[in-house]
Amino acid sequence: MAIVKTENTPARAAPLTERSIIGWMSKNLFSSVFNSILTIVTLYVIYITVKDLWVWGIGDAVWIAETRRECFTISIDGACWAGVIAWFDNIFYGRYPREELWRINLGAILLFIWMAPLWLPRVKAKVFIAVTTVFLYPFLAGYLFAGGDKGIFMQVMITAAIVCLVANTLHSIIGVSNGTSLPGLVLRLLGKNNAPEKSQRIILFSILLVCFIVVYLWQMSWSAQGVSWTKWGGLFLTFVIAGVGIASALPGGIVLALGRRSKLPVIRVLSTAFIELFRSVPLITVLFMATTMFPLFMPEGFILNKLTQVIIAVCLFNACYMAETVRAGLQAIPRGQFEGAHTIGLGYWGTMGLVVMPQALKHMIPNIVGTFIGLLKDTTLVSIIGLFDILGMLRSVSRDTPWIGLHKEPLIFGAILFFLICFAMSKYSRHLEVKLSTGHKK
Amino acid sequence: MTDTDKQEKQNAGEQLASAISSEVMIDLKQVNKWYGSFHVLKDIDLIVHKGERIVVCGPSGSGKSTLIRCINHLEEHQTGSIVVDGITLDKNLKNIDHIRTEVGMVFQNFNLFPHLSILENLTLGPIWVRKMPKADAHAIAMEYLERVKIPEQADKFPGQLSGGQQQRVAIARSLCMDPKIMLFDEPTSALDPEMIKEVLDVMVELADTGMTMIVVTHEMGFAETIADRVIFMDQGDIVEENEPNGFFNHPEHERTRLFLSQIL
Amino acid sequence: MALGDSRSKTDQVKPKDQFDLLHDERVRSVVYQLLTAAVVGWVGWYLFTTTAHNLEMRGMDSGFGFLGFEAGFDPAFRLVAYEVGVGTYGDIFLIGILNTLYISFLSIIAMTLVGFSVGVLRLSNNWLVAKVALAYVEIFRNTPLLIQVIFWYTGIFSLLPQIRNSLDLSAGAEVVLLNNRGLYLPWPVPGDLLWMTGLALGIAIILAVLFRRWAHKRQDITGQLIPTLIPGAALIVFLPGIVYWMTGSPLGWEIPELEGFNFAGGATLPPAFLALFVALTIYHSAHLAESVRAGILSVGPGQSDAAMAIGLRKNRLMSLVIIPQAMPAIVPPMISLWMNVVKNSSLAIAIGYPDLVAVFMQTSLNQAGHAIEIVGMTMAFYMFVSLTISWLLNIYNKRVQLVER
Ligand SMILES: Nc1ncnc2c1ncn2[C@@H]1O[C@H](COP(=O)(O)OP(=O)(O)OP(=O)(O)O)[C@@H](O)[C@H]1O
Ligand SMILES: [Mg+2]
């Protein structure tokens, strides 16, 4: 006899163990006797640690004081944050002239404006924006930060950077608001959007030229007081070194990685040796090499300042690390992609530039971000050879007469700062990883 | 099907019979290839005339893929000569580049570029290799997409298409380069049965146009309908070569008979 | 219209068939390689000549003769005998290498143990424990190692009590003492018959291994499961223990005693050593924990399901199914972390632990000059270590591949 069910069974609520907080706890915290003991012991340890930290760092801490001695008189076993607060400007900007700080802030804001479109949806030509950030922004920022006389070359680059920044920004605004591009809109406004490609190009080019000349004439009147690199310091200097290192790491790393995968033995061997040399020694030895050996390499009368030496060393070091990241990314591209590109007649550069690199770079982004985090943390090593980056500044607090012996607080402040930056970046890279692994079908 | 259509088809068929000219498109003489010490191709001699359609079959590992990959220099042969459309495949990079633009190839696993849309996949070659204006490249790409009956997929990405659709895109991608020869390496063996048909239909239609084709396949029905010649390979040798009727009905070689009995 | 001829053919010029110098693959390959070699060679030559010129201008000589010169300073911590006024730069090089290897070795052991533990705790089914492990990993991975090193040194180990108020870590026995001069430990003084205990230990280990083999064979034949872990451990502990006792406990301990303002006797680990050790251990264990976790997770739930489906218990499941599969994913990153420990031990220079970089690349270089030789020797040492470690890695990878086959 057939059994027929006439009504659907209605869904019922899950038992308490599945949904209530008590059920959750009994499953995840007290599932066995051992687990219960573990939970209680852990809770106790957390309680002790957090309480002590709280009392020291917040409860009994001193926020306003003139000297460390004053801190002690207010509270003997609390943190003396007043010292850190008094040194705030130094920690962030080093000994940069106080009335010129706006230049650093402006540089940071410009960088933000330049890069923000990369994260906006609907903006086209992101690759162009990214490439110009790497190749043009440094000139603009360099002039802003260092000031002084600017030669013809510098003037041209600054002009190019400004024109590019304005164009990028307009382009992004247009992109976000109606999904087209700047050249498209310009052509439409001029009623030339159906003209042949060649004349379109001529029109756009001449507009660009006019803008360029106008900006060039305008920037000739600028003059910024020169600030010697010895005055640079703090988080600002850390970012400058890390920024240049990171920006040069990717192009350098790509070149080295391609060299290492080359079919030509000489190129392969040289690239491999170079990469392995720098990857097997500590950064500090590379920095020492830069400061002690570079002067011997230079022709007479040509002196590199310490900052330049350090930046060159950091760039070389970073490029070699990035090369391995890139190589891993290239290895992940299946052979069929190379073959597919060959069968439609693309040569080496076409295959690499149009087919392989775009895919490889996209999948490498999480690893690249990971490498960047490592590089940023490593940048603190420059304090060892006497640059006053953020760590150098943090350590100077304890040598400042009013705050003599104040070690812990500045270091903890610095650690928190780095933690926030690095943690945010690593979370972001993990997010990207998930997004790429699920969404690569678009 | 209307009468005029039929008429046209018949005309095309008649042309077909006479389409095989005496002009030699591919000429392999005593080609040998080794992977390390492993001898994959042994003294291969093969002449393919313009408009001829060759089907290559044989057991797994017999060197079929290697043979056709040598023809557009995805693999390098060590001795012997390969001449494609009058150009010798040697160390001259220009010759290789040139031959690759004349020889299209379709792979078992499609090898579409996953980071580009279908349309971009099709226009990549015309724009960057043929240096064609973008608009023209688009027009041609759309035309071929229509031929392979998926113009509506132009803006999707390869990952969003079914296997059969992807393979048809791959065929269209090769055709966009306007090749004189098409090579197919087991184009249907990664596909489900119902998708096989849609791909084979496209290939039959392509054969009707008089394209020179070399097809590695185990689809024997397909081989019988389109092939001018069937080549059987075993352990790096061309063991038997015949027109399809003779090949399938009166195989001469022991190995061929064994192979056919297993596959049919 | 037919499929093939739908548009006018673009003009294609047929390239010639003859030898074409510009486009020949071999010619190009040779030209590219020669160009690269020439550029690199030119840069090398240029650097060499300018350097030689500069050295000459400054009246500096080159060569390794300076290694025989008297160094005239005393590294604050060393493992071999050294006398100021006699010891040479060569001795200093050796002391630096030993110090680097010493701290690296101890940190590597500690970091591996801690890293594995934290990695397993990360996967604990106790939510709280898993989260604490996560916090440990994230906090220590995301702050620069140098800040941690300096923090442990200036913020913790230098602020410990004075010698007179030393912390007693041995619970009242006053043999392990910690103060702002460092950690004071008793040091073993071997007696005459100690070799017998050593011998007994060796024999016990061999016996334990043989026992294990025998037990496995027996299991293969009879299917009988014989516990090997506890008997083996007992053997290794008791056999040497009995011999040690019977030979009259031939091992003395030298205990640190307060003499004047300092302790004498026993072994001393300076604060810089302790700070560096703790920082290296914590920082790298946090990284290792992530690799361990990822390695275990990479095995995938299907494997545990399948193992449980054939009735394996949790501990056997771990040892027979999960761990063997996870190890190939854990070991390579672990070995490269070991390399990182060696490299990062060079941060010693920031807190004055006399490692190779500090005593050789900094102090010796400042005193004796010879930048090129010293930088070269130091880098060569690290490259040697790195090559050794990648050699280990290769051996491991080969073995894994053999097993997989
Ligand atoms: N890159 C390579 N290196 C070494 N041996 C190879 C390589 N590619 C192919 N082979 C070997 O060469 C032989 C021929 O391979 P090929 O791919 O041409 O066979 P096939 O006839 O296409 O087989 P299938 O039907 O399985 O595709 C095989 O034995 C294969 O193992
Ligand atoms: Mg094949």
Side-chain angles (χ1 to χ4, degrees), chain C residues 86-146:
Chain C
V86 179
T88 61
Y89 287 114
D91 296 334
I92 293 287
F93 183 58
L94 185 71
I95 288 174
I97 286 182
L98 287 177
N99 283 351
T100 292
L101 291 179
Y102 185 52
I103 185 115
S104 308
F105 180 71
L106 292 180
S107 308
I108 282 175
I109 291 176
M111 152 283 205
T112 308
L113 294 177
V114 178
F116 265 92
S117 318
V118 177
V120 173
L121 289 182
R122 279 279 268 122
L123 296 169
S124 163
N125 57 4
N126 186 317
W127 181 86
L128 195 63
V129 171
K131 287 294 165 209
V132 169
L134 174 69
Y136 175 90
V137 168
E138 292 294 2
I139 288 175
F140 292 110
R141 261 189 350 156
N142 284 311
T143 36
L145 175 59
L146 186 55

Side-chain angles (χ1 to χ4, degrees), chain A residues 243-301:
Chain A
V244 178
I246 287 167
S248 65
L250 201 51
I254 291 176
V255 170
L256 283 171
L258 291 179
R260 192 168 183 171
R261 282 172 59 96
S262 165
K263 274 189 291 185
L264 310 177
V266 170
I267 295 178
R268 187 174 59 234
V269 167
L270 285 173
S271 313
T272 309
F274 193 78
I275 294 173
E276 288 304 322
L277 167 69
F278 280 98
R279 281 173 49 86
S280 64
V281 300
L283 175 57
I284 188 69
T285 60
V286 180
L287 292 175
F288 269 118
M289 182 189 84
T291 50
T292 59
M293 278 168 65
F294 282 4
L296 295 175
F297 291 159
M298 294 300 138
E300 253 173 288

Side-chain angles (χ1 to χ4, degrees), chain C residues 314-393:
Chain C
K314 179 117 191 176
N315 57 344
R316 297 243 173 237
L317 177 151
M318 266 313 216
S319 66
L320 292 178
V321 178
I322 307 289
I323 301 278
Q325 293 189 67
M327 277 324 260
I330 296 175
V331 170
M334 181 176 76
I335 291 182
S336 74
L337 277 174
W338 291 354
M339 184 62 221
N340 282 358
V341 173
V342 178
K343 285 194 282 180
N344 284 332
S345 70
S346 61
L347 297 187
I349 195 176
I351 55 174
Y353 172 75
D355 82 320
L356 179 63
V357 172
V359 291
F360 200 58
M361 220 179 186
Q362 193 178 43
T363 317
S364 301
L365 197 152
N366 282 345
Q367 290 188 1
H370 292 280
I372 297 171
E373 295 87 339
I374 286 183
V375 169
M377 283 170 74
T378 314
M379 286 191 162
F381 163 74
Y382 284 104
M383 274 188 277
F384 173 75
V385 175
S386 149
L387 285 179
T388 315
I389 287 183
S390 35
W391 174 68
L392 282 179
L393 187 60

